[in-house]
């Protein structure tokens, strides 16, 4: 990738009205894009990666300019929210370019980030300045040795420092994400909620999804359902179901007398596909219409094509809606359902 970064082409405004443009065959409006800016990561979480991951060759990755062009095209087509994710987005060189350009788009209501927080100490303030409103931070354990085991290489102290930097930067909201695995960290859900509560963060618990082969554990044996977590939490917290909807798949509960919400992302136990409003762009430029299916369109081929016209890109995105399936195909008893790991998908 060139170190010199040019300004993106000015966006073509095709969505002058607020009428939804991206509507799938099941009548769902797509208003949310998740962009994976890299498949690489400085951690190796046991549920996300195998210990011998192969990463995409750099020339196959979208350049930062290409990412901005595709993101802008989605905003022109009515997308209101973009989340930057990965792999670990903050290890991509010059990644602030993406945040600064997307954050300046007038049609975008929310620019958010999912990160493991290892790099937040140096990036938090600049991300806030670039227009990032909300930030999701993955944190599966508050115990250093266990954190190291789950991430294979991670340093909890570095991550907690990153979280403090994010607090100081003043994001509208910080939410923690924790993937809960039986006999790995299921006994820590109360501590994690207490940590979130004492810092006025939200927290979501995620059921592990069978994306890619992982060799550290058997996903079926480590399954710990959202209902089991909720049961455990109710022994300690007064939780009431909330109607809050942040445009994501979480079902929320509120802790009595507190601003903290506890969410559950439960692909196995509570299917959320009926409300799906999102699509995902992989670091290689593949537009995935569903996290749990392979239906996709190659947008890299269009932005690198001979004509490279904004109209062609816009049309390809509109036409992709026809490929959006009704729901995911996750089945814990068949492993793996998809050979694509979460770091490629952009969780
Ligand atoms: N590296 C960043 C991070 O960890 O926050 C962003 C990318 S990561 C792939 C996004 C989210 O996906 C994280 O919250 C992570 O815990 C979650 N995740 C990864 N693999 C998963 C899996 N197999 N099932 C469920 N969640 C997974
Ligand atoms: Fe990296 Fe995030 Fe995957 Fe962990 S979950 S290995 S931090 S991409």
């Amino acid at each position: 990738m060139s170190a010199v970064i040019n300004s993106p082409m000015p966006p073509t405004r095709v969505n002058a009205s607020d009428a939804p443009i991206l509507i799938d065959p099941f009548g769902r409006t797509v208003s949310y894009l998740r962009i994976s800016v890299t498949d690489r990561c400085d951690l190796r979480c046991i549920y996300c990666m195998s210990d011998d991951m192969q990463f995409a060759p750099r020339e196959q990755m979208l350049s930062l300019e290409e990412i901005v062009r595709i993101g802008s095209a989605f905003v022109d087509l009515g997308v209101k929210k973009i989340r930057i994710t990965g792999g670990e987005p903050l290890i991509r060189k010059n990644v602030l370019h993406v945040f600064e350009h997307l954050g300046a788009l007038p049609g975008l209501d929310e620019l958010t980030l999912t990160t493991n927080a290892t790099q937040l100490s140096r990036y938090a303030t600049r991300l806030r300045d670039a227009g990032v409103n909300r930030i999701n931070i993955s944190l599966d354990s508050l115990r250093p040795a266990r954190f190291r085991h789950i991430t294979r290489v991670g340093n909890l102290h570095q991550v907690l420092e990153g979280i403090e930097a994010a607090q100081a930067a003043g994001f509208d909201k910080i939410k923690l994400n924790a993937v809960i695995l039986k006999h790995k960290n299921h006994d820590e859900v109360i501590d994690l909620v207490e940590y979130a509560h004492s810092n006025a963060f939200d927290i979501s618990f995620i059921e592990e999804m069978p994306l890619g082969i992982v060799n550290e554990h058997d996903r079926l044996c480590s399954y710990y359902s959202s209902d089991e977590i909720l049961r455990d939490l109710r022994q300690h917290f007064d939780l009431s179901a909330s109607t809050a909807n942040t445009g994501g798949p979480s079902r929320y509960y509120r802790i009595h007398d507190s601003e903290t919400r506890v969410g559950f992302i439960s692909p196995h136990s509570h299917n959320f596909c009926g409300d799906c409003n999102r699509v995902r762009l992989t670091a290689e430029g593949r537009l995935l219409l569903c996290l749990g299916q392979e239906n996709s369109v190659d947008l890299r081929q269009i932005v690198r094509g001979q004509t490279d016209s904004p109209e062609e890109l816009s049309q390809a995105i509109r036409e992709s809606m026809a490929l959006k399936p009704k729901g995911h195909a996750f089945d814990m008893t068949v492993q793996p359902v998809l050979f694509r790991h979460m770091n490629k998908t952009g969780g």
Side-chain angles (χ1 to χ4, degrees), residues 323-337:
L323 299 178
K324 191 161 168 60
K326 190 168 181 192
H328 67 67
F330 292 141
D331 179 351
M332 289 295 257
T333 61
V334 183
Q335 297 204 29
V337 168

Side-chain angles (χ1 to χ4, degrees), residues 67-179:
I67 292 171
V68 171
R69 265 167 42 213
I70 294 174
S72 304
F74 271 95
V75 174
D76 287 343
L77 289 167
V79 159
K80 298 289 178 203
K81 175 173 172 182
I82 294 181
R83 176 175 299 281
I84 304 299
T85 177
E88 175 44 44
L90 299 183
I91 65 164
R92 172 104 193 228
K93 200 173 164 200
N94 294 326
V95 72
L96 279 175
H97 175 85
V98 171
F99 290 98
E100 284 161 357
H101 284 79
L102 294 181
L105 293 176
L108 190 66
D109 292 344
E110 262 199 291
L111 180 61
T112 62
L113 163 71
T114 301
T115 176
N116 63 24
T118 59
Q119 311 299 316
L120 271 183
S121 295
R122 64 191 175 109
Y123 274 124
T125 306
R126 285 181 285 168
L127 289 165
R128 187 70 187 107
D129 291 346
V132 174
N133 317 87
R134 295 193 293 133
I135 183 163
N136 286 2
I137 296 174
S138 302
L139 182 69
D140 303 319
S141 177
L142 291 161
R143 304 181 194 176
R146 183 180 276 189
F147 183 83
R148 168 65 60 103
H149 172 72
I150 293 175
T151 59
R152 288 194 178 97
V153 292
N155 174 347
L156 179 64
H157 179 68
Q158 180 188 6
V159 166
L160 295 180
E161 275 187 357
I163 294 175
E164 280 172 29
Q167 280 180 298
F171 293 100
D172 296 348
K173 194 78 206 175
I174 296 176
K175 178 165 81 93
L176 304 178
N177 280 340
V179 176

Side-chain angles (χ1 to χ4, degrees), residues 38-49 53 85-89 114-118 138 140 150-152 179 342-344 347:
T38 178
D39 63 348
R40 290 168 168 75
C41 189
D42 52 353
L43 303 184
R44 292 285 182 279
C45 301
I46 54 176
Y47 49 78
C48 179
M49 296 195 183
M53 292 294 288
T85 177
E88 175 44 44
T114 301
T115 176
N116 63 24
T118 59
S138 302
D140 303 319
I150 293 175
T151 59
R152 288 194 178 97
V179 176
M342 189 66 118
N343 69 307
K344 280 203 173 298

